[in-house]
Amino acid sequence: MLVTAGLLVAGIGSLALILRELRKAPEGYEDEHGFRVVSKRAVGSGVLG
């Protein structure tokens, strides 16, 4: 029972850590010249309606 609880806590903790790091990761794309980070200005721009 104790081993099962420990594995459950470790699994949930690992998942939480992965999700936190993915939220901090930069948005971008990869082309033949390498990884390009999309700037926040380009993401937020658009035509106002």
Side-chain angles (χ1 to χ4, degrees):
M1 179 74 180
L2 187 60
V3 173
T4 304
L7 288 174
L8 182 65
V9 169
I12 292 174
S14 298
L15 182 61
L17 181 64
I18 290 170
L19 291 175
R20 190 181 107 210
E21 293 300 319
L22 283 175
R23 290 179 55 93
K24 294 189 324 184
E27 291 186 28
Y29 62 94
E30 187 173 1
D31 60 8
E32 63 272 2
H33 300 292
F35 185 75
R36 307 290 181 183
V37 176
V38 178
S39 66
K40 291 185 186 268
R41 198 174 335 136
V43 171
S45 66
V47 177
L48 297 176

